[in-house]
Amino acid sequence: MTPQDASLKSAEVCGLAPVIPVLVVKDVAHARPLAEALVAGGLPALEVTLRTPVALDVIREMAKVEGGVVGAGTLLTPEDVKNAIAAGATFGVSPGATDTLLDACEAADLPLLAGTSTASDVMRLLERGYTVAKFFPAESNGGAPALKAIGAPLPQMKFCPTGGVSLKNANDYLSLSNTLCVGGSWVAPADLVEKGDWKAIEELAREAAALPR
Ligand code: 3PG
């Protein structure tokens, strides 16, 4: 998959809803009901971070949920890419971008939202042919004003800012011309997941899905 095709696919995923939930799931039994609640609330694109021992099984379970589009987050190595695809992930997310990881995703036809945090990061991805990226960690990097400022000289790159984004500040990003959607964990708080309060999570998803862009 070329970087151009990967960017088209990533833009499609980012276009599904204003928010991509960033999920750290510790119990595979939570996977199905959590994904069902988020999809029912209007957030079909789901990022399952590879940060728990069960993450690949979680992707496997979530991939069975109708209407869901499941991606793997925290992709760091070619091995992660291979495992994520085998589990059913249809897009990838990474905190940064290395040539090794980009090579692996392109070779395996996995569209990647590669992480950027500086103008040079963005320029490197643009040179390679990418026009969609993650901005991470968004709030610590200066938040929406920083992303807006990057967009002045580099308007051709579109972003999914992630890291410190919440219902309170999501609009600051979503109103920018270079922001396609945001990523965030606030729609699936650990306490609600632990309690299995899927109705409450569905409500959080609904609220997030109604954010204007
Ligand atoms: C992460 O790395 O966990 C994501 O960027 C989500 O960040 P958040 O928990 O601040 O939404």
Side-chain angles (χ1 to χ4, degrees), residues 78-187:
E79 188 74 6
D80 290 340
V81 173
K82 196 178 87 187
N83 292 338
I85 292 170
T90 57
F91 68 97
V93 186
S94 174
T98 66
D99 286 330
T100 308
L101 185 67
L102 293 167
D103 287 345
C105 287
E106 289 165 18
D109 288 339
L110 187 73
L112 178 72
L113 274 171
T116 60
S117 59
T118 65
S120 292
D121 293 344
V122 174
M123 286 170 64
R124 269 190 289 272
L125 283 183
L126 284 171
E127 270 183 10
R128 196 168 165 134
Y130 286 87
T131 52
V132 180
K134 167 168 150 168
F135 180 59
F136 177 82
E139 279 295 286
S140 331
N141 277 330
L147 192 52
K148 183 178 180 185
I150 284 177
L154 302 168
Q156 60 275 55
M157 184 64 92
K158 307 298 179 199
F159 294 91
C160 170
T162 304
V165 183
S166 68
L167 196 65
K168 277 204 192 88
N169 59 16
N171 268 326
D172 299 342
Y173 293 97
L174 292 168
S175 59
L176 299 178
S177 57
N178 62 347
T179 296
L180 299 176
C181 69
V182 300
S185 61
W186 86 89
V187 286

Side-chain angles (χ1 to χ4, degrees), residues 24-34 52 54-55 58 193-194 198:
V24 183
V25 185
K26 296 189 183 128
D27 184 345
V28 72
H30 294 150
R32 285 289 279 268
L34 174 58
T52 66
V54 295
V58 169
V193 173
E194 286 308 316
W198 313 121

Side-chain angles (χ1 to χ4, degrees), residues 17 31 46 48 51 62 87 91 107 112 142 155 164 173 182-183 194 200 207 213:
L46 308 172
V48 180
R51 289 189 220 163
M62 286 191 172
F91 68 97
L112 178 72
Y173 293 97
V182 300
E194 286 308 316
E207 197 175 30
R213 3 174 219 177

